């Protein structure tokens, strides 16, 4: 395992990703992590970048023990400066903040013709890299030598003379450093000697064993499924581990996509064998949503109602189990529901481990908060070590069909935040049909996997049109499709004109009540992905 200590750079999680892509398990921890509190010994340590300057009075610093434990250390950007600073090197502000591409000249060792440092072994004499820093090393620390330089940074890459300590000013973890992943590979594979045993096949086996151990021979687990990738994969994994002792609950809140509850039931329950109950609570949700236009109000109502319905269902399951228990011989006693499954992913975990304390940006919809208090359920989070693409790989191995594995994200409040006015059954039906046609045509055109998220929005206005010889006065559908890495920023997708034409023509012809279709060409920022 590689330990990555995070000093708050926006790229820290990418270092973790790159290691894992090399099949080496890596874990990100806050830079304030004390080495003596670690429960495992890393094979190598990587120090991340940071928005701070090592001389700032509130700058984060690493446990000095890191350099005493006899494992290789790689400092990236701030990590390099921190390492040098600890070794009494000098760091100074650059004349110009350096941001963008640079060329690293790889240094030959001791004037030799061919030999270069192990960190850059076989990567050529010159490497294009991405720089993003305001400080740089102005003096080499004692017992270090230069292994790479750029025009403006004489100490762009350094190594200790006798210990496996390395520092690089550039960011090998970003895709703008084309050979960056190989540099990380040289470090974790060749220098640290990590084994390449982080694969999804290994993960499944270990995680199933862990779940069985945690839940014991009788413990039971409940969890919500939504029709999205994460909850489906988590549910299938739980089913593999403890079979019928896992109960999945899907709440039909009346603002799902067309036939969604039915499709999830077919797939998870019929095809994959997961113990699933679909609760149709659409009446309750829609009655509570009646007349509400404010988006935050809609979110709150849906969130709270979800908790009510889920709790009620969980209590029912519990009561049924107790009845069974009474009937069964005492040796076959079923356990109580002790656990709540959550599909938490690694990015959520990372967000909450920052050295600055838990981030305030964690969204409330990640928690089913109220439940835990009343039912005293403990959380079980089998995906908490995984990135999204790892969850997809896991889903494929568990036999989850490709269209679901690749499915675009769908917000918890569903179509309620895509109907800009009040939510009624009629409006939901119109939007479901339009959305379904849109997604169908995107799939037919083979574009679905190039788009990060696509959906239709029902606008709260009417426009004039003409059909046959008659004037119409009907509603408008807006189409949205974006490409995005992380949904923090997003750009609108450029469709071929004929695809848009087909979608528009089908929606206006097939969906009663719509006579006009527009395409949203706003990026995020300044717009957001959703309209509400
Ligand atoms: P925005 O609109 O904030 O969307 O640019 C970014 C991503 O977040 C999703 N989103 C939500 N997901 N509950 C959710 O579960 C919500 O209330 C919510 N609002 C936005 C959105 O679909 C996009 O993927």
């Amino acid at each position: 395992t590689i330990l990555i200590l995070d000093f708050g750079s926006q790229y820290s999680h990418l270092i973790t990703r790159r290691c894992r892509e090399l099949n080496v398990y890596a874990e990100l921890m806050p830079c304030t992590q004390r080495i003596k509190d670690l429960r495992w010994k890393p094979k190598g340590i990587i120090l991340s970048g940071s928005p701070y300057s090592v001389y700032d009075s509130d700058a984060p610093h690493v446990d000095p023990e890191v350099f005493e434990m006899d494992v290789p250390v790689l400092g990236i950007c701030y990590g390099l400066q921190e390492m040098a600073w600890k070794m009494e090197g000098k760091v100074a502000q650059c004349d110009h903040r350096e941001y963008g591409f640079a060329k690293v000249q790889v240094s030959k060792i001791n004037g030799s013709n061919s030999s270069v440092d192990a960190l850059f072994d076989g990567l050529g004499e010159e490497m294009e890299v991405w720089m993003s820093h305001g400080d740089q090393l102005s003096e080499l620390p004692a017992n270090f030598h230069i292994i790479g330089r750029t025009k403006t940074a004489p100490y762009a890459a350094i190594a200790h003379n006798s210990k496996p300590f390395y520092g690089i000013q550039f960011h090998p973890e970003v895709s703008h450093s084309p050979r960056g992943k190989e540099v990380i590979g040289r470090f974790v594979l060749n220098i640290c000697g990590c084994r390449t045993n982080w694969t999804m096949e290994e993960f499944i086996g270990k995680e199933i064993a862990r779940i069985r151990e945690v839940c014991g021979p009788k413990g039971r687990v409940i969890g919500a499924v939504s029709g999205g990738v994460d909850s489906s994969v988590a549910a299938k994994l739980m089913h593999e581990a403890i079979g019928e002792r896992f109960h999945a609950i899907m709440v039909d809140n009346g603002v799902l996509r067309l036939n969604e509850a039915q499709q999830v039931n077919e797939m998870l329950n019929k095809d994959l064998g997961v113990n699933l109950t679909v609760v149709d609570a659409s009446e309750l949700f829609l009655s509570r949503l009646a007349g509400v236009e404010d988006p935050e109000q809609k979110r709150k109502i849906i969130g709270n109602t979800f908790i009510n319905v889920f709790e009620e269902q969980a209590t029912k399951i519990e009561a049924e189990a107790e009845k069974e228990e009474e009937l069964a011989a005492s040796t076959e006693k079923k356990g109580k529901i002790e656990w709540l499954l959550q599909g938490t992913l690694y990015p959520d975990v990372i967000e909450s481990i920052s050295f600055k304390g838990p981030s305030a940006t964690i969204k409330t919809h990640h928690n089913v908060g109220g439940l835990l208090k009343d039912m005293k359920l403990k959380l079980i989070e089998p995906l908490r070590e995984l990135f999204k693409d790892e969850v997809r790989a896991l889903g494929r191995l568990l036999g989850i069909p490709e269209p679901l594995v690749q499915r675009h994200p769908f917000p918890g409040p569903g179509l309620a935040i895509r109907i800009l006015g009040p939510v009624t059954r009629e409006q939901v039906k119109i939007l479901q049909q339009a959305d379904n046609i849109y997604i169908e045509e995107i799939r037919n055109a083979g574009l679905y996997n190039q788009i990060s998220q696509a959906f239709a929005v029902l606008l709260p206005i009417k426009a004039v049109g003409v059909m046959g010889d008659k004037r119409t006065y009907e509603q408008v559908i807006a189409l949205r499709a974006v490409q995005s890495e992380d949904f923090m920023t997003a750009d609108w997708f450029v469709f071929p004109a004929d695809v848009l034409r087909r979608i528009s023509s089908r929606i206006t012809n097939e969906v009663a009540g719509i006579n006009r279709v527009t395409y949203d060409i706003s990026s995020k920022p300044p717009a957001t992905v959703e309209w509400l």
Side-chain angles (χ1 to χ4, degrees), residues 299 365 409 411-413 417-418 453 487 524 528-530:
R299 282 190 169 84
H365 62 257
I417 56 167
R418 294 176 179 171
Q453 199 173 7
F487 295 99
K524 172 182 180 177
T528 51
V529 175
E530 301 290 344

Side-chain angles (χ1 to χ4, degrees), residues 295-296 299 363-366 408-414 417-418 452-453 455 480 482 484 486-490 524 527-532:
E296 286 313 304
R299 282 190 169 84
K363 298 180 197 110
T364 45
H365 62 257
H366 287 141
H408 294 168
F410 185 66
I417 56 167
R418 294 176 179 171
S452 309
Q453 199 173 7
F455 54 89
R480 181 88 164 127
V482 296
S484 173
D486 54 8
F487 295 99
M488 301 298 286
T489 62
K524 172 182 180 177
T528 51
V529 175
E530 301 290 344
W531 277 47
L532 291 182

Side-chain angles (χ1 to χ4, degrees), residues 209-504:
R210 191 188 74 91
I211 294 169
R212 286 183 182 152
E213 197 187 313
V214 163
C215 298
K218 287 184 183 163
R220 292 192 301 138
V221 181
I222 50 165
V225 295
S226 66
V229 192
D230 306 343
S231 64
S232 305
V233 172
K236 177 65 181 158
L237 188 62
M238 289 307 299
H239 176 74
E240 292 288 303
I242 59 169
E244 293 290 300
R245 285 188 288 131
F246 170 65
H247 299 251
I249 299 170
M250 174 159 192
V251 177
D252 182 349
N253 58 14
V255 283
L256 300 176
R257 287 165 287 195
L258 190 67
N259 302 329
E260 187 154 26
Q262 193 188 327
Q263 281 166 7
V264 172
N265 196 26
E266 294 268 315
M267 199 265 313
L268 271 185
N269 186 280
K270 299 228 169 77
D271 298 346
L272 297 174
V274 174
N275 187 3
L276 170 72
T277 308
V278 178
V279 190
D280 180 1
S282 55
E283 207 57 62
L284 178 65
F285 278 87
L286 292 175
S287 68
R288 289 191 186 173
L289 282 168
V292 177
E293 291 198 42
D294 175 61
E296 286 313 304
Q297 198 59 29
K298 287 178 179 174
R299 282 190 169 84
K300 218 179 263 167
I301 291 171
I302 291 176
N304 292 340
T305 310
F306 177 85
I307 291 173
N308 300 154
V309 174
F310 188 87
E311 262 180 336
E312 191 181 319
Q313 189 59 39
T315 315
K316 256 190 212 160
I317 292 175
E318 181 80 63
E320 275 164 24
E322 267 169 28
K323 221 189 285 163
E324 270 180 56
E325 209 176 293
E326 279 168 22
L327 293 175
S330 60
T331 46
E332 284 174 34
K333 265 192 179 175
K334 283 196 170 187
K336 280 181 86 69
I337 298 179
E338 276 180 81
W339 302 89
L340 175 69
L341 171 70
Q342 291 249 282
T344 317
L345 301 196
Y346 201 53
D348 303 328
V349 177
I350 290 176
E351 218 179 341
S352 60
I353 61 161
S354 156
F355 66 90
K356 286 171 277 187
S359 154
T361 56
I362 291 200
K363 298 180 197 110
T364 45
H365 62 257
H366 287 141
N367 311 312
V368 192
L371 266 178
L372 299 170
K373 272 186 239 114
D374 299 344
M375 290 190 69
K376 298 192 178 63
L377 295 178
K378 293 172 275 186
L379 278 189
I380 187 159
E381 302 176 304
L383 310 181
R384 61 177 284 124
E385 287 177 358
L386 307 184
F387 287 104
K388 190 83 179 185
D389 56 323
E390 292 175 322
V391 174
R392 293 205 164 103
L394 175 59
R396 287 190 188 99
L397 281 178
L398 289 170
I400 293 179
E402 197 58 27
L404 174 54
V405 163
Q406 287 291 354
R407 201 162 194 194
H408 294 168
F410 185 66
L415 301 185
I417 56 167
R418 294 176 179 171
I419 293 171
L420 300 201
V423 180
T424 62
R425 239 183 226 285
E426 295 67 41
Q427 294 289 71
V428 170
K429 196 167 157 225
I430 290 176
L431 183 55
Q432 279 178 335
Q433 288 174 339
D435 188 72
N436 192 54
I437 292 171
Y438 183 37
I439 300 300
E440 208 169 85
E441 288 301 328
I442 288 176
R443 284 198 192 278
N444 289 346
L447 297 172
Y448 190 82
N449 292 348
Q450 291 174 41
I451 298 169
S452 309
Q453 199 173 7
F455 54 89
V457 177
L458 183 56
L459 304 189
I461 46 164
K462 284 187 164 184
V464 171
V466 55
M467 201 170 255
D469 292 330
K470 275 213 223 85
R471 176 184 177 279
T472 59
Y473 186 52
E474 293 180 333
Q475 297 192 95
V476 183
I477 282 285
L479 304 175
R480 181 88 164 127
V482 296
Q483 285 178 312
S484 173
E485 286 278 325
D486 54 8
F487 295 99
M488 301 298 286
T489 62
D491 205 357
W492 56 279
F493 182 74
V494 182
F495 275 109
D498 62 314
V499 178
L500 284 178
R501 188 169 293 121
R502 206 160 39 244
I503 294 165
S504 160

Side-chain angles (χ1 to χ4, degrees), residues 103-107 120 146-157:
K103 284 209 161 78
V104 171
Q105 236 59 54
V106 174
S107 311
F120 297 145
I146 298 170
I147 59 172
R149 62 189 91 220
T150 70
K151 273 210 184 95
T152 53
Y155 310 112

